[in-house]
Amino acid sequence: MILVLLNSRRIVGPISLVLMLGLAATGAAAPLGPPVRIGGTLALTGPLAPTALLHKIAGEIYVEEMNRGSGLLGRPVEWVLDDQSKPEVTRSLYERLIMVDKVDLLIGPYATSPMTTRRSLSG
């Protein structure tokens, strides 16, 4: 569990920094124009569901707060989320986010099969 949290911080930190810089650079005007679509997956079922649910709630609050302000780069933010983070379907989910949902940014899953395997071997 500690490894998952450490890796989450390594990923979430840089993403938050980029989003905050975009937020700061846009001033205080209400977001206008087409939304910036951010896509990702979370394991909302299975053994990682409790942590994924916290990520989902935090993400929804963050998107709501950004949209109350000036959005991201002056545009509203939309979070496109898929609730399956199964290793065997990850590729097709991200292909769909890119090709069908047409997201502008991707957030990778916080737990991948190699990380889960490494964690189980060390603990």
Side-chain angles (χ1 to χ4, degrees):
M1 184 65 170
I2 292 173
L3 182 58
V4 170
L5 291 174
L6 288 175
N7 283 325
S8 294
R9 288 184 189 141
R10 285 187 202 144
I11 293 169
V12 172
I15 291 170
S16 297
L17 178 62
V18 169
L19 293 175
M20 290 303 288
L21 288 174
L23 186 64
T26 58
L32 297 172
V36 175
R37 295 176 52 102
I38 301 172
T41 62
L42 287 173
L44 296 173
T45 58
L48 299 173
T51 306
L53 182 59
L54 295 175
H55 283 240
K56 181 179 185 284
I57 292 168
E60 288 171 345
I61 291 169
Y62 191 70
V63 167
E64 185 179 312
E65 288 298 314
M66 283 197 308
N67 286 333
R68 274 194 209 158
S70 58
L72 179 62
L73 302 174
R75 294 167 47 191
V77 176
E78 183 179 317
W79 192 18
V80 181
L81 186 63
D82 196 301
D83 68 350
Q84 298 181 53
S85 286
K86 298 175 185 171
E88 65 273 12
V89 297
T90 300
R91 178 180 172 167
S92 63
L93 293 174
Y94 279 89
E95 286 175 348
R96 188 177 79 220
L97 285 168
I98 295 167
M99 303 303 289
V100 177
D101 296 325
K102 307 285 188 193
V103 298
D104 300 300
L105 302 168
L106 288 172
I107 298 175
Y110 70 92
T112 61
S113 57
M115 185 165 58
T116 305
T117 302
R118 186 173 62 210
R119 183 177 62 139
S120 64
L121 290 175
S122 64

